[in-house]
Amino acid sequence: MHSRRNFLQQIAATAMVLPFMSLPGWAVTRRPKEGKVLRVALMGLGSYANRVADAMKSCTKAKLVGVISGTPSKITDWQQRFDIPAANCYNYSNFDRIRDNPDIDVVYITTPNALHHGQTLRVAAAGKHVICEKPMALNAHEGADMIAACKKANVQLLVGYRMHFEPKTLEIIRMRNSGEFGKILFFQGQCGFRIGDPTQWRLNKELAGGGSLMDIGIYAINGARYMTGEEPLWVTAQETKTDPIKFNAGVDETIQFQLGFPSGAVASCLSTYNMNNLDRFFLNGEKGFAELQPSTGYGPIKGRTFKGELTQPHMTHQTVQMDEMADILLAGKQPLVAVNGEEALKDLKIIDAIYQAVKTGKKVNLA
């Protein structure tokens, strides 16, 4: 594990020094030709990449065509499992060569959080679109840098917000937009689980950038925004740590945080690595309510409103996400809830503010 951490940290360090290329414009706002699919390379072949790859077997608009990994045995295995040609296989040292590969449109980055920034800069410099897992970066400064790099390279930056395409979630947003809940008063987001292996990268400050807030709490942050339809003005937060050995300095175990919105609505949220059975969103308005439980897991999502049970069919989140992202990148489709870098930057600014509120014990203004 120690050698793997060193290896990943070396990747992050070397990723920062590569220059940008001058690239021609991309026709990303035109309708794709009949039958055109988004050709995807996955970077970082861990458990979530496997989930995405399996889900993409059912996609009609996106196809897995390439891989990037620091482990040769994984590349060999993926070649066999997903029929990936050798010409589309890269490691962390040579993946800049994708600039010369016309058979890859986008790279989906699923590596540890600390690597997202440098790897995004390199992919953008190679002239490929980027899909980055959340959190997009370790902080808002890195996130803004990633957005600027992709704009400079004239490529698009999307973030893996799969819940933005989930049918029951979208139905609640539709109901809110149509005024069925009336004035929104309150949101509650509870996100957490008891984390296992104490040596995993999620509990390594240098690779994760934090603890539960970076991994699971971001769902409550993002959910508070898309469920209320507002951007918060202020945040307060409190941290609880019962195991300072497992959750060492800079790795949060449990954080409770509160958000205030322009309309007067408030949010009360919890993020934890020390409690199971926490995956619930609740939205309350003057005329009615909505509840999702589970709210952000891989599914099926279950929910109800004051009008009854939500019955939209379950679809594999990553299948829907990748087909929708194909439409965004190839056809210029605008999703109901944004999934671009600017959307992710808003979450990062709130994360920064939450950590500041924990440190200072004071309300932090976001305006």
Side-chain angles (χ1 to χ4, degrees):
M1 178 59 67
H2 179 72
S3 61
R4 179 174 180 269
R5 287 177 181 167
N6 289 342
F7 173 64
L8 291 171
Q9 290 161 3
Q10 288 172 0
I11 296 169
T14 57
M16 304 292 294
V17 299
L18 286 150
F20 291 106
M21 295 174 61
S22 177
L23 299 167
W26 288 71
V28 297
T29 59
R30 299 174 186 169
R31 302 302 301 178
K33 294 180 180 179
E34 188 70 26
K36 183 172 176 58
V37 298
L38 184 71
R39 298 165 299 179
V40 182
L42 278 168
M43 179 185 292
L45 306 183
S47 60
Y48 191 71
N50 275 273
R51 183 178 292 274
V52 172
D54 286 336
M56 287 182 66
K57 293 176 182 177
S58 300
C59 285
T60 59
K61 301 176 184 179
K63 180 180 180 181
L64 176 64
V65 300
V67 293
I68 302 168
S69 174
T71 307
S73 60
K74 286 186 178 181
I75 293 177
T76 301
D77 174 59
W78 278 59
Q79 280 187 267
Q80 296 172 349
R81 289 167 54 206
F82 299 103
D83 192 27
I84 296 172
N88 291 353
C89 298
Y90 302 87
N91 59 45
Y92 292 127
S93 297
N94 68 13
F95 75 79
D96 309 276
R97 296 176 186 171
I98 60 172
R99 66 167 60 92
D100 302 316
N101 190 335
D103 296 325
I104 294 174
D105 300 314
V106 62
V107 175
Y108 192 160
I109 299 172
T110 64
T111 54
N113 304 338
L115 306 184
H116 294 176
H117 173 259
Q119 289 171 342
T120 293
L121 267 56
R122 289 176 65 182
V123 172
K128 304 298 180 181
H129 300 300
V130 180
I131 302 172
C132 184
E133 256 313 299
K134 57 192 178 303
M136 182 174 74
L138 296 185
N139 51 57
H141 177 77
E142 283 191 356
D145 195 32
M146 293 161 69
I147 293 170
C150 289
K151 286 183 177 178
K152 179 178 180 180
N154 206 16
V155 298
Q156 292 202 50
L157 171 60
L158 304 183
V159 180
Y161 287 115
R162 58 187 167 83
M163 301 313 300
H164 292 197
F165 307 108
E166 196 283 315
K168 293 182 178 68
T169 301
L170 292 178
E171 173 60 12
I172 292 174
I173 294 172
R174 184 202 66 76
M175 291 177 68
R176 187 208 69 227
N177 286 341
S178 67
E180 294 179 50
F181 301 118
K183 177 181 170 62
I184 300 301
L185 304 173
F186 175 72
F187 171 80
Q188 183 180 54
Q190 299 172 332
C191 299
F193 63 93
R194 186 179 291 274
I195 200 166
D197 180 9
T199 66
Q200 63 182 281
W201 70 264
R202 288 177 178 82
L203 298 177
N204 179 337
K205 173 65 162 60
E206 292 185 5
L207 291 177
S212 69
L213 187 68
M214 298 291 286
D215 183 30
I216 192 73
I218 191 171
Y219 284 101
I221 294 169
N222 192 245
R225 294 176 49 241
Y226 64 66
M227 293 284 274
T228 65
E230 295 189 81
E231 298 300 330
L233 296 175
W234 55 261
V235 58
T236 54
Q238 308 80 37
E239 180 179 8
T240 302
K241 186 171 293 192
T242 64
D243 188 345
I245 296 176
K246 185 174 185 178
F247 305 100
N248 54 31
V251 179
D252 47 281
E253 174 187 326
T254 301
I255 290 182
Q256 297 177 74
F257 60 93
Q258 302 78 40
L259 305 171
F261 297 91
S263 68
V266 292
S268 176
C269 302
L270 182 145
S271 168
T272 185
Y273 268 162
N274 199 34
M275 288 179 271
N276 289 325
N277 309 309
L278 288 175
D279 185 7
R280 177 177 178 267
F281 284 177
F282 181 80
L283 183 71
N284 197 32
E286 287 184 331
K287 297 180 181 179
F289 72 90
E291 180 182 39
L292 293 172
Q293 187 176 13
S295 57
T296 63
Y298 294 139
I301 300 301
K302 296 182 179 180
R304 64 191 180 103
T305 75
F306 69 105
K307 293 186 174 181
E309 182 181 0
L310 294 172
T311 59
Q312 289 73 20
H314 169 69
M315 297 179 282
T316 301
H317 295 172
Q318 293 79 8
T319 302
V320 178
Q321 172 194 325
M322 295 309 297
D323 272 343
E324 289 289 330
M325 287 186 167
D327 274 343
I328 293 169
L329 293 174
L330 297 176
K333 181 178 180 179
Q334 296 300 313
L336 179 64
V337 185
V339 292
N340 54 25
E342 287 79 6
E343 169 75 7
L345 182 60
K346 294 174 183 177
D347 285 341
L348 291 173
K349 289 179 178 179
I350 297 171
I351 288 175
D352 289 350
I354 290 172
Y355 282 132
Q356 183 182 349
V358 166
K359 183 178 180 180
T360 65
K362 299 179 180 180
K363 177 189 288 187
V364 176
N365 291 321
L366 293 162

